[in-house]
Amino acid sequence: MTSMPVQGRDLLHGSGRADSEGDINLGEGRARWWAGQSDGVQAGLAEDSRYFLHQALSTPCLDLLESAQGSWLTSVSGARYLDFHGNSVHQLGHGHPKVVAAVQQQLADLPFAPRRYTHQVAIDCARTLAELAPGDLNRVLFAPGGSEVVSLWDAFHGASLDAISVGGEACFRAGMGPLMAGVERIPPPTRYRGVWYRGEGDDLHYADYLEYVIEKEGGVGAFIAEPIRNTDVQVPSRAYWQRVREICDRHKVLLIVDEIPNALGRTGHWFSFEEFGIEPDIICLGKGLGGGVVPFAALITRDRFNQAAAISLGHYTHEKSPIGCAAALATISTIREEGLLAKAQEDGRFIARELAAIAERHTLIGQVRGIGLLWALDLVVDHQSRTRNSQAAERLLYRCLELGLSFKVSQGNVIQLSPPLNIARADLVRAITILDRALSEIALSPKQEHHHD
């Protein structure tokens, strides 16, 4: 058997653990999981660890994949996992035939367009996005990937240096710097452990604090936030976003919404901000825009902000990627043709009922929250203290993987569930059954204490 990568062993202890954002991938649970894989998988993972730069939220990897189709991932060992993570690119699952066919045709027709040239597929894609967006949001900028501002603590807006500077998760900034100046952060409108939250709909204090910072700081140009935070599924009230929009208007601050993980149907809407009845000034899209096949992102804004013609803004080699545009057009048309917005809303109601029933049976679950096909189980030590139960989350992750369900762990203790929009109802039931079984087994088994120096 192959031994665990040195990097994994060395960072099991101390500040190397990055469980505040993602899976506890450098903990003992990952080491045990890694050691239990087949010889072929271990050999592949060791080679991966040998040749790739290590990243705290990736290395050592979970498995060595052979294929991905629809809602399923398949390992070279034959293990199969329902993919309830997908890095938020799998609105249509993996390898959707319409997206693959569109990309294949585009590869044959026009695989690349040098900067300074355009083509009909790019024009059609820009027009389609402009038509999807509400109001006068009708100017588009494409990018190969999505990454003085006020942002929210704990928010993730990307892993490039500028995006890390804007984002609110400290684990991404640790040991990095100097970062981009001109960024202030304020508390997010969280409902379960929020510093000011007192009850349903009572999150307006968070919006008021935005205005306080704008007035105190002066010269604030923009406020950026996810309308619904993806990583641990925080859903503010409609009143909160209505107030934020009004504050930004009054102070002439641009409202930028990060829709990169949640747009294109995840919440049962084309854009998650539609749930709150607001219109932003700038929309950032990515991830699922490329149909789970091509890295592709876009920015949509208002015509009156088309004021940088003399500046090389968005000066990308793959500025108007033909295959990215083809994938995006195929993704949008497939969501329409298959009625996936309505399906996400219907599935969301089903999941809400099922997860509520599970929460009644398992005291590990402090709160269930979500919308459409984006859900979270917040695991706690007890309901009174609401102390995060990271140990239970780690054990649940690996038991569910053994049973065939893959998902993301956020904030160390939050089980984030985001299946493909076109997932079969039988597979939703299968996933919920796996969660229920794994939670029962964890509750009955002795606790495995983890010690970190």
Side-chain angles (χ1 to χ4, degrees), residues 326-374:
L329 283 170
T331 298
I332 292 168
S333 66
T334 301
I335 291 172
R336 280 181 169 143
E337 291 165 8
E338 298 186 6
L340 296 184
L341 299 186
K343 179 182 178 299
Q345 294 178 20
E346 181 181 350
D347 284 345
R349 290 188 286 271
F350 170 76
I351 293 173
R353 293 193 298 270
E354 294 297 312
L355 293 184
I358 286 179
E360 286 291 321
R361 294 193 292 273
H362 301 289
T363 57
L364 275 174
I365 300 174
Q367 187 183 52
V368 174
R369 49 185 182 261
I371 180 175
L373 284 170
L374 178 65

Side-chain angles (χ1 to χ4, degrees), residues 126 130 136-141 283 299-306:
D136 61 348
L137 288 152
N138 56 16
R139 286 281 180 173
V140 176
L141 175 69
I283 305 170
L299 178 150
I300 311 175
T301 190
R302 305 182 191 280
D303 189 65
R304 69 176 183 270
F305 299 136
N306 182 31

